[in-house]
Amino acid sequence: MSVGLGLRADGRRLLIPYVMAGVVPDWLDLVRGVVEAGADAVEIGLPFSDPMLDGPTVQRAAALSAGRGGRPRPLLDELAGLDLDVPLVVMTYANVAMTLAPERGVGGFVDHLAAVGVRGVIVPDLPLEESAEYRARAAEAGVDAVLLVAPACGEDRCREIAQASSGFVYCMSSMQITGERADLAATARETARRAKGVTELPVVTGFGISTVQHAVEACADADGVVIGSALMRMLVDGAPVAEVVEEVATFRRALSSVQHSPVGG
């Protein structure tokens, strides 16, 4: 079962919390906790020293993980012990993907993801034009290669990316790095509407979804949202895992009340 089909089974708005692997010693308890709180999938970040799309909060989370000795392969191996009812989607960068199993390249990377139970992967800095082998090998391994659509994408480019994506389409709310915002970007809903017009896959909006109100507003057009920096800020500021889990539950309650409506509703 693909990530997308599993996510969309009951038609409700989708909630995907982001967790930096290794950010706190009990990070696996956080993954379990957000699932119990109603997450439809969990996006797992891997620490990386030069994250081009991640803002200061996620960078701090990555630094905490690395400072505790966190490395991509061992952190991924920790996921193998989880028994969850929702898919895990790993987000990383091309340098990490290509060096995780250097002797086997991209094939070794996606095979490793599949072996530890990961069902989807996001590599945002790998251009579509250079991704054919990656997408093919991911499909062979049973791992969905989720691609990103940005507000700057024209209709033809949006269609091209959406048709190449699998599992779901990840819409950037703005042409900015990740991080909390005071308001939902004006481009968020329009980008989701454009993506939904060219794909049958679920369309999920992320980047800057900082409050429950942002999530509800984004889901007027998108099928769901990714919540990242708002949760990671709590952790890097010292909040206990239980408090972060409760925040996810608050988002879940709000999104569960959003009625599925036609695009633009």
Side-chain angles (χ1 to χ4, degrees):
M1 181 172 63
S2 76
V3 168
L5 291 176
L7 286 172
R8 214 174 185 181
D10 63 3
R12 69 176 178 173
R13 289 301 198 265
L14 310 174
L15 176 60
I16 306 179
Y18 171 97
V19 175
M20 172 60 68
V23 62
V24 289
D26 48 352
W27 73 279
L28 292 177
D29 289 339
L30 176 58
V31 175
R32 296 185 187 96
V34 299
V35 172
E36 293 173 1
D40 296 285
V42 185
E43 182 181 344
I44 305 293
L46 299 179
F48 180 52
S49 59
D50 189 23
M52 62 179 293
L53 286 183
D54 289 317
T57 300
V58 174
Q59 290 182 36
R60 288 173 63 197
L64 282 175
S65 176
R68 295 182 51 248
R71 299 294 180 268
R73 180 186 283 272
L75 288 169
L76 283 175
D77 289 342
E78 291 187 49
L79 295 175
L82 294 177
D83 182 17
L84 303 174
D85 295 329
V86 306
L88 298 176
V89 181
V90 161
M91 185 278 191
T92 190
Y93 291 91
N95 278 356
V96 177
M98 301 309 171
T99 58
L100 195 70
E103 70 284 356
R104 297 176 57 208
V106 67
F109 169 62
V110 293
D111 285 346
H112 194 84
L113 295 182
V116 299
V118 170
R119 296 247 300 277
V121 58
I122 305 165
V123 184
D125 61 335
L126 183 63
L128 177 63
E129 290 75 15
E130 299 175 19
S131 69
E133 179 188 359
Y134 154 71
R135 289 184 283 115
R137 295 300 297 270
E140 291 173 4
V143 176
D144 283 322
V146 178
L147 304 185
L148 277 73
V149 169
C153 293
E155 185 173 345
D156 289 345
R157 182 64 170 177
C158 182
R159 179 180 292 106
E160 186 179 15
I161 293 171
Q163 290 178 350
S165 188
S166 58
F168 60 93
V169 176
Y170 193 141
C171 279
M172 295 172 59
S173 68
S174 68
M175 296 298 295
Q176 298 182 41
I177 58 177
T178 65
E180 293 179 89
R181 316 269 193 265
D183 300 295
L184 182 70
T187 49
R189 292 185 59 182
E190 171 58 31
T191 305
R193 283 195 293 268
R194 192 182 314 134
K196 284 182 69 66
V198 296
T199 184
E200 294 298 316
L201 293 174
V203 170
V204 176
T205 295
F207 286 62
I209 308 297
S210 309
T211 68
V212 166
Q213 182 55 41
H214 291 174
V216 170
E217 186 179 347
C219 283
D221 297 284
D223 295 302
V225 290
V226 175
I227 313 296
S229 293
L231 303 179
M232 292 303 95
R233 173 185 49 77
M234 295 175 68
L235 282 177
V236 299
D237 286 348
V241 162
E243 190 173 322
V244 180
V245 168
E246 179 52 38
E247 182 72 0
V248 172
T250 299
F251 275 94
R252 175 73 276 162
R253 288 190 292 269
L255 291 182
S256 293
S257 68
V258 177
Q259 296 300 311
H260 217 296
S261 58
V263 170

Short mmCIF file of all heavy atoms in Angstrom, two decimals, residues 191-238:
data_model
loop_
_atom_site.label_atom_id
_atom_site.label_comp_id
_atom_site.label_asym_id
_atom_site.label_seq_id
_atom_site.Cartn_x
_atom_site.Cartn_y
_atom_site.Cartn_z
N THR A 191 -1.05 27.66 -4.43
CA THR A 191 -0.17 26.57 -4.86
C THR A 191 -0.86 25.22 -4.69
O THR A 191 -0.75 24.34 -5.56
CB THR A 191 1.14 26.60 -4.05
OG1 THR A 191 1.74 27.89 -4.19
CG2 THR A 191 2.12 25.55 -4.56
N ALA A 192 -1.56 25.03 -3.59
CA ALA A 192 -2.30 23.78 -3.38
C ALA A 192 -3.40 23.61 -4.43
O ALA A 192 -3.59 22.51 -4.96
CB ALA A 192 -2.90 23.76 -1.98
N ARG A 193 -4.12 24.68 -4.74
CA ARG A 193 -5.16 24.59 -5.76
C ARG A 193 -4.57 24.20 -7.11
O ARG A 193 -5.13 23.38 -7.84
CB ARG A 193 -5.90 25.92 -5.89
CG ARG A 193 -6.92 26.18 -4.80
CD ARG A 193 -7.85 27.30 -5.18
NE ARG A 193 -7.18 28.59 -5.25
CZ ARG A 193 -7.08 29.45 -4.24
NH1 ARG A 193 -7.61 29.14 -3.07
NH2 ARG A 193 -6.47 30.60 -4.40
N ARG A 194 -3.41 24.79 -7.43
CA ARG A 194 -2.78 24.48 -8.72
C ARG A 194 -2.37 23.01 -8.77
O ARG A 194 -2.58 22.33 -9.77
CB ARG A 194 -1.56 25.39 -8.92
CG ARG A 194 -1.01 25.35 -10.34
CD ARG A 194 0.23 26.21 -10.48
NE ARG A 194 0.06 27.50 -9.86
CZ ARG A 194 0.95 28.09 -9.07
NH1 ARG A 194 2.08 27.46 -8.78
NH2 ARG A 194 0.73 29.27 -8.57
N ALA A 195 -1.80 22.53 -7.67
CA ALA A 195 -1.38 21.12 -7.64
C ALA A 195 -2.57 20.18 -7.72
O ALA A 195 -2.54 19.17 -8.43
CB ALA A 195 -0.56 20.86 -6.38
N LYS A 196 -3.63 20.50 -7.01
CA LYS A 196 -4.80 19.62 -7.01
C LYS A 196 -5.46 19.57 -8.38
O LYS A 196 -6.15 18.60 -8.71
CB LYS A 196 -5.80 20.06 -5.94
CG LYS A 196 -5.35 19.67 -4.53
CD LYS A 196 -6.37 20.07 -3.48
CE LYS A 196 -7.65 19.25 -3.58
NZ LYS A 196 -7.41 17.81 -3.25
N GLY A 197 -5.23 20.60 -9.19
CA GLY A 197 -5.81 20.60 -10.52
C GLY A 197 -5.10 19.69 -11.50
O GLY A 197 -5.62 19.45 -12.60
N VAL A 198 -3.93 19.16 -11.13
CA VAL A 198 -3.15 18.36 -12.08
C VAL A 198 -2.79 16.98 -11.53
O VAL A 198 -1.99 16.27 -12.14
CB VAL A 198 -1.87 19.11 -12.50
CG1 VAL A 198 -2.22 20.38 -13.27
CG2 VAL A 198 -0.98 19.43 -11.31
N THR A 199 -3.34 16.59 -10.38
CA THR A 199 -3.00 15.27 -9.83
C THR A 199 -4.18 14.70 -9.04
O THR A 199 -5.01 15.45 -8.51
CB THR A 199 -1.78 15.36 -8.90
OG1 THR A 199 -1.42 14.04 -8.45
CG2 THR A 199 -2.05 16.23 -7.69
N GLU A 200 -4.22 13.38 -8.98
CA GLU A 200 -5.18 12.69 -8.12
C GLU A 200 -4.56 12.31 -6.78
O GLU A 200 -5.25 11.81 -5.90
CB GLU A 200 -5.69 11.42 -8.82
CG GLU A 200 -6.52 11.70 -10.06
CD GLU A 200 -7.78 12.50 -9.74
OE1 GLU A 200 -8.45 12.17 -8.75
OE2 GLU A 200 -8.08 13.45 -10.49
N LEU A 201 -3.26 12.55 -6.63
CA LEU A 201 -2.60 12.26 -5.37
C LEU A 201 -3.03 13.26 -4.31
O LEU A 201 -3.40 14.40 -4.63
CB LEU A 201 -1.07 12.34 -5.53
CG LEU A 201 -0.39 11.30 -6.40
CD1 LEU A 201 1.09 11.64 -6.54
CD2 LEU A 201 -0.57 9.90 -5.82
N PRO A 202 -2.94 12.90 -3.03
CA PRO A 202 -3.16 13.90 -1.99
C PRO A 202 -2.14 15.02 -2.10
O PRO A 202 -0.99 14.80 -2.46
CB PRO A 202 -2.95 13.10 -0.69
CG PRO A 202 -3.17 11.69 -1.07
CD PRO A 202 -2.68 11.57 -2.49
N VAL A 203 -2.57 16.23 -1.81
CA VAL A 203 -1.72 17.41 -1.85
C VAL A 203 -1.57 17.92 -0.42
O VAL A 203 -2.57 18.22 0.24
CB VAL A 203 -2.33 18.50 -2.75
CG1 VAL A 203 -1.58 19.82 -2.60
CG2 VAL A 203 -2.31 18.04 -4.21
N VAL A 204 -0.33 17.97 0.05
CA VAL A 204 -0.04 18.32 1.44
C VAL A 204 0.81 19.58 1.46
O VAL A 204 1.82 19.66 0.76
CB VAL A 204 0.68 17.16 2.16
CG1 VAL A 204 1.07 17.56 3.57
CG2 VAL A 204 -0.20 15.91 2.17
N THR A 205 0.42 20.56 2.27
CA THR A 205 1.13 21.84 2.35
C THR A 205 2.02 21.89 3.57
O THR A 205 1.61 21.50 4.68
CB THR A 205 0.14 23.01 2.39
OG1 THR A 205 -0.58 23.06 1.15
CG2 THR A 205 0.85 24.34 2.60
N GLY A 206 3.25 22.36 3.39
CA GLY A 206 4.18 22.53 4.49
C GLY A 206 4.99 23.79 4.34
O GLY A 206 4.74 24.59 3.43
N PHE A 207 5.93 24.03 5.24
CA PHE A 207 6.76 25.22 5.29
C PHE A 207 5.96 26.38 5.91
O PHE A 207 5.16 27.03 5.25
CB PHE A 207 7.30 25.65 3.91
CG PHE A 207 8.39 24.78 3.36
CD1 PHE A 207 8.16 23.44 3.09
CD2 PHE A 207 9.65 25.29 3.11
CE1 PHE A 207 9.15 22.63 2.58
CE2 PHE A 207 10.67 24.48 2.59
CZ PHE A 207 10.42 23.15 2.34
N GLY A 208 6.19 26.61 7.19
CA GLY A 208 5.57 27.76 7.84
C GLY A 208 4.19 27.53 8.39
O GLY A 208 3.51 28.50 8.77
N ILE A 209 3.72 26.28 8.46
CA ILE A 209 2.43 26.01 9.10
C ILE A 209 2.69 26.01 10.60
O ILE A 209 3.13 25.02 11.19
CB ILE A 209 1.84 24.66 8.64
CG1 ILE A 209 1.80 24.58 7.12
CG2 ILE A 209 0.46 24.46 9.25
CD1 ILE A 209 0.92 25.61 6.46
N SER A 210 2.42 27.15 11.24
CA SER A 210 2.91 27.39 12.59
C SER A 210 1.86 27.30 13.67
O SER A 210 2.18 27.11 14.84
CB SER A 210 3.57 28.78 12.66
OG SER A 210 4.51 28.94 11.63
N THR A 211 0.59 27.46 13.30
CA THR A 211 -0.49 27.47 14.28
C THR A 211 -1.64 26.61 13.78
O THR A 211 -1.73 26.27 12.59
CB THR A 211 -1.02 28.89 14.52
OG1 THR A 211 -1.68 29.36 13.32
CG2 THR A 211 0.11 29.85 14.88
N VAL A 212 -2.55 26.29 14.70
CA VAL A 212 -3.75 25.55 14.32
C VAL A 212 -4.53 26.31 13.25
O VAL A 212 -5.04 25.72 12.29
CB VAL A 212 -4.61 25.29 15.57
CG1 VAL A 212 -6.01 24.85 15.17
CG2 VAL A 212 -3.97 24.24 16.46
N GLN A 213 -4.62 27.63 13.41
CA GLN A 213 -5.35 28.42 12.43
C GLN A 213 -4.71 28.34 11.05
O GLN A 213 -5.40 28.25 10.03
CB GLN A 213 -5.44 29.89 12.87
CG GLN A 213 -6.24 30.77 11.91
CD GLN A 213 -7.64 30.25 11.65
OE1 GLN A 213 -8.31 29.78 12.57
NE2 GLN A 213 -8.07 30.28 10.39
N HIS A 214 -3.38 28.37 10.99
CA HIS A 214 -2.69 28.20 9.70
C HIS A 214 -3.08 26.86 9.07
O HIS A 214 -3.34 26.79 7.87
CB HIS A 214 -1.17 28.21 9.89
CG HIS A 214 -0.60 29.52 10.28
ND1 HIS A 214 0.74 29.66 10.62
CD2 HIS A 214 -1.14 30.75 10.42
CE1 HIS A 214 0.98 30.92 10.93
NE2 HIS A 214 -0.14 31.60 10.83
N ALA A 215 -3.09 25.81 9.88
CA ALA A 215 -3.38 24.48 9.37
C ALA A 215 -4.79 24.40 8.81
O ALA A 215 -5.03 23.86 7.73
CB ALA A 215 -3.18 23.44 10.48
N VAL A 216 -5.75 24.94 9.56
CA VAL A 216 -7.14 24.92 9.11
C VAL A 216 -7.29 25.73 7.83
O VAL A 216 -7.96 25.31 6.88
CB VAL A 216 -8.06 25.46 10.23
CG1 VAL A 216 -9.48 25.68 9.70
CG2 VAL A 216 -8.08 24.50 11.41
N GLU A 217 -6.65 26.89 7.78
CA GLU A 217 -6.74 27.74 6.60
C GLU A 217 -6.12 27.05 5.38
O GLU A 217 -6.70 27.06 4.29
CB GLU A 217 -6.04 29.07 6.87
CG GLU A 217 -6.18 30.10 5.77
CD GLU A 217 -5.49 31.41 6.10
OE1 GLU A 217 -5.11 31.62 7.27
OE2 GLU A 217 -5.32 32.22 5.17
N ALA A 218 -4.96 26.44 5.56
CA ALA A 218 -4.30 25.76 4.45
C ALA A 218 -5.16 24.62 3.93
O ALA A 218 -5.20 24.35 2.72
CB ALA A 218 -2.93 25.24 4.88
N CYS A 219 -5.86 23.95 4.83
CA CYS A 219 -6.65 22.78 4.45
C CYS A 219 -7.99 23.14 3.82
O CYS A 219 -8.77 22.25 3.48
CB CYS A 219 -6.86 21.87 5.66
SG CYS A 219 -5.41 20.88 6.05
N ALA A 220 -8.24 24.44 3.61
CA ALA A 220 -9.37 24.82 2.78
C ALA A 220 -9.14 24.36 1.34
O ALA A 220 -10.08 24.18 0.57
CB ALA A 220 -9.59 26.33 2.83
N ASP A 221 -7.86 24.17 0.98
CA ASP A 221 -7.52 23.73 -0.37
C ASP A 221 -6.68 22.46 -0.37
O ASP A 221 -6.89 21.58 -1.19
CB ASP A 221 -6.76 24.83 -1.10
CG ASP A 221 -7.61 26.07 -1.28
OD1 ASP A 221 -8.49 26.06 -2.16
OD2 ASP A 221 -7.43 27.04 -0.52
N ALA A 222 -5.72 22.37 0.54
CA ALA A 222 -4.85 21.19 0.60
C ALA A 222 -5.57 20.02 1.29
O ALA A 222 -6.52 20.21 2.04
CB ALA A 222 -3.57 21.52 1.34
N ASP A 223 -5.07 18.81 1.02
CA ASP A 223 -5.60 17.62 1.69
C ASP A 223 -5.01 17.43 3.07
O ASP A 223 -5.50 16.61 3.85
CB ASP A 223 -5.30 16.37 0.85
CG ASP A 223 -6.02 16.40 -0.48
OD1 ASP A 223 -7.25 16.49 -0.49
OD2 ASP A 223 -5.34 16.34 -1.53
N GLY A 224 -3.96 18.18 3.39
CA GLY A 224 -3.35 18.04 4.71
C GLY A 224 -2.17 18.98 4.85
O GLY A 224 -1.87 19.77 3.95
N VAL A 225 -1.51 18.89 6.01
CA VAL A 225 -0.39 19.78 6.30
C VAL A 225 0.73 19.01 6.99
O VAL A 225 0.50 18.00 7.63
CB VAL A 225 -0.82 20.95 7.22
CG1 VAL A 225 -1.71 21.93 6.47
CG2 VAL A 225 -1.50 20.45 8.48
N VAL A 226 1.94 19.57 6.84
CA VAL A 226 3.10 19.12 7.60
C VAL A 226 3.39 20.18 8.66
O VAL A 226 3.43 21.37 8.35
CB VAL A 226 4.34 18.94 6.70
CG1 VAL A 226 5.56 18.59 7.55
CG2 VAL A 226 4.10 17.87 5.65
N ILE A 227 3.57 19.74 9.90
CA ILE A 227 3.91 20.66 11.00
C ILE A 227 5.32 20.31 11.44
O ILE A 227 5.57 19.21 11.94
CB ILE A 227 2.95 20.50 12.20
CG1 ILE A 227 1.49 20.48 11.74
CG2 ILE A 227 3.20 21.61 13.22
CD1 ILE A 227 1.03 21.74 11.11
N GLY A 228 6.26 21.24 11.28
CA GLY A 228 7.64 20.95 11.60
C GLY A 228 8.27 21.87 12.61
O GLY A 228 8.46 21.51 13.77
N SER A 229 8.60 23.09 12.20
CA SER A 229 9.36 24.00 13.06
C SER A 229 8.64 24.31 14.37
O SER A 229 9.28 24.46 15.42
CB SER A 229 9.67 25.29 12.31
OG SER A 229 10.55 25.05 11.24
N ALA A 230 7.32 24.40 14.34
CA ALA A 230 6.58 24.72 15.57
C ALA A 230 6.80 23.64 16.63
O ALA A 230 6.90 23.94 17.83
CB ALA A 230 5.09 24.86 15.26
N LEU A 231 6.88 22.38 16.18
CA LEU A 231 7.10 21.28 17.13
C LEU A 231 8.56 21.19 17.54
O LEU A 231 8.88 20.97 18.72
CB LEU A 231 6.65 19.96 16.50
CG LEU A 231 5.20 19.89 16.02
CD1 LEU A 231 4.92 18.52 15.40
CD2 LEU A 231 4.23 20.16 17.16
N MET A 232 9.46 21.35 16.57
CA MET A 232 10.88 21.25 16.89
C MET A 232 11.33 22.40 17.80
O MET A 232 12.21 22.22 18.64
CB MET A 232 11.71 21.22 15.61
CG MET A 232 11.52 19.95 14.77
SD MET A 232 11.90 18.40 15.66
CE MET A 232 10.25 17.91 16.23
N ARG A 233 10.71 23.57 17.67
CA ARG A 233 11.05 24.69 18.56
C ARG A 233 10.74 24.32 20.01
O ARG A 233 11.52 24.62 20.92
CB ARG A 233 10.28 25.95 18.18
CG ARG A 233 10.49 27.10 19.19
CD ARG A 233 9.63 28.29 18.88
NE ARG A 233 8.23 27.96 18.65
CZ ARG A 233 7.37 27.68 19.63
NH1 ARG A 233 7.75 27.65 20.89
NH2 ARG A 233 6.11 27.40 19.33
N MET A 234 9.60 23.67 20.22
CA MET A 234 9.25 23.26 21.57
C MET A 234 10.34 22.35 22.15
O MET A 234 10.77 22.52 23.29
CB MET A 234 7.90 22.55 21.56
CG MET A 234 6.72 23.44 21.16
SD MET A 234 5.16 22.51 21.02
CE MET A 234 4.88 22.09 22.76
N LEU A 235 10.79 21.39 21.34
CA LEU A 235 11.79 20.44 21.82
C LEU A 235 13.14 21.10 22.10
O LEU A 235 13.74 20.88 23.14
CB LEU A 235 11.99 19.32 20.81
CG LEU A 235 10.93 18.21 20.77
CD1 LEU A 235 11.26 17.24 19.66
CD2 LEU A 235 10.85 17.50 22.10
N VAL A 236 13.60 21.92 21.15
CA VAL A 236 14.93 22.53 21.35
C VAL A 236 14.90 23.55 22.48
O VAL A 236 15.95 23.86 23.08
CB VAL A 236 15.47 23.17 20.05
CG1 VAL A 236 15.63 22.12 18.96
CG2 VAL A 236 14.61 24.33 19.58
N ASP A 237 13.72 24.06 22.81
CA ASP A 237 13.59 24.96 23.95
C ASP A 237 13.39 24.22 25.27
O ASP A 237 13.25 24.85 26.32
CB ASP A 237 12.42 25.93 23.73
CG ASP A 237 12.75 27.02 22.72
OD1 ASP A 237 13.93 27.14 22.36
OD2 ASP A 237 11.82 27.73 22.28
N GLY A 238 13.36 22.88 25.20
CA GLY A 238 13.33 22.10 26.43
C GLY A 238 12.00 21.50 26.82
O GLY A 238 11.88 20.90 27.89
#
